[in-house]
Amino acid sequence: MTATGGTAKSGIPVDIPRVPAQEAAERELSKPMYHEHDPGFLQRALDRFWEWVGGLFDSVSGAGPGGVVGVVAVVLIVLALAAALWWRLGTPRRSPSSGGDVLFGEQARTAAEHRSAASRHAAAGQWNQAVQERMRAIVRSLEERTLLDPRPGRTADEAAAEAGRALPAHADGLRSAARAFDDVTYGGRTADESAYRRVEALDTALERAKPSLDGAAASASFTQAPR
């Protein structure tokens, strides 16, 4: 069987076999230019899911007197799926760059108060909160010693980088402590006692540490520079 493909100059019809014609059309339609606005994989999956849910509702609602029970069953299934997704993906977390006073709370506390809070959390086995409070104690202590300028909105990473210039011997420890703070505050991770003890040991070491004069001057220049 053939398909008419056109007319030759002599006026005689030109026949193109059906299979090659179909293949040529498929090759043409497979070009990217015809699919630029196609929905993505996730969108297609969501569309199929909602079509499936809609089909379930339609089927159970038209099943007679027992349709109401079926609708309730479908609703429960959908809620269970939503709960499973929420449990798997978790709730949205604020990123460290989202602005606001990301290191300290609204209530200003001294380094001693943060250390006291950290000790209470550690005694209760609440290691996430203990790590957070100990990191806050470190930064507040450096501010009280004027090694850091008090600055609202400073992140743990920023404080560690600035303090590392004034105390280069502890730069690595400061970065690790800031990472531990971010992990439990924004990363959804769980700290353990060893993680807290490392931040605690760093806090103790920093209390005795003397700043490098060159590093302290560079840090002061950095924090006081116009933004």
Side-chain angles (χ1 to χ4, degrees):
M1 186 178 291
T2 60
T4 301
T7 304
K9 291 182 179 179
S10 62
I12 301 174
V14 177
D15 291 339
I16 302 176
R18 181 178 297 277
V19 173
Q22 181 179 351
E23 292 176 348
E26 290 175 351
R27 284 196 300 272
E28 177 65 22
L29 293 175
S30 67
K31 292 181 179 179
M33 60 183 292
Y34 296 108
H35 303 277
E36 291 178 353
H37 302 292
D38 287 357
F41 173 77
L42 180 59
Q43 184 61 49
R44 293 197 303 272
L46 287 173
D47 290 343
R48 291 290 180 86
F49 172 76
W50 289 118
E51 288 174 6
W52 174 74
V53 172
L56 283 179
F57 275 108
D58 291 341
S59 62
V60 299
S61 62
V68 175
V69 176
V71 170
V72 172
V74 171
V75 170
L76 292 176
I77 291 173
V78 173
L79 290 176
L81 288 173
L85 286 173
W86 177 85
W87 178 83
R88 177 66 181 84
L89 300 177
T91 55
R93 296 184 179 91
R94 185 181 62 177
S95 65
S97 59
S98 61
D101 198 351
V102 296
L103 182 58
F104 296 105
E106 295 181 358
Q107 181 180 1
R109 293 183 177 182
T110 66
E113 288 172 330
H114 283 298
R115 289 189 184 106
S116 179
S119 297
R120 289 195 302 271
H121 287 304
Q126 299 168 338
W127 303 115
N128 281 15
Q129 295 91 329
V131 166
Q132 291 171 322
E133 288 298 326
R134 204 75 194 200
M135 183 61 193
R136 290 168 180 143
I138 287 174
V139 176
R140 185 67 81 206
S141 177
L142 293 173
E143 290 176 349
E144 291 172 355
R145 295 169 61 188
T146 68
L147 296 180
L148 286 179
D149 260 350
R151 178 159 56 84
R154 176 189 276 127
T155 67
D157 290 329
E158 290 171 343
E162 294 167 19
R165 284 186 283 272
L167 299 162
H170 297 282
D172 290 341
L174 284 161
R175 282 194 294 270
S176 295
R179 191 177 307 116
F181 178 92
D182 287 344
D183 284 346
V184 302
T185 306
Y186 312 114
R189 299 186 182 179
T190 302
D192 55 17
E193 182 175 2
S194 62
Y196 170 70
R197 296 304 175 193
R198 286 193 294 272
V199 182
E200 180 187 44
L202 175 66
D203 185 22
T204 301
L206 289 175
E207 286 190 272
R208 301 191 298 266
K210 295 182 179 180
S212 164
L213 295 180
D214 292 340
S219 179
S221 174
F222 178 84
T223 56
Q224 294 172 7
R227 297 182 180 276

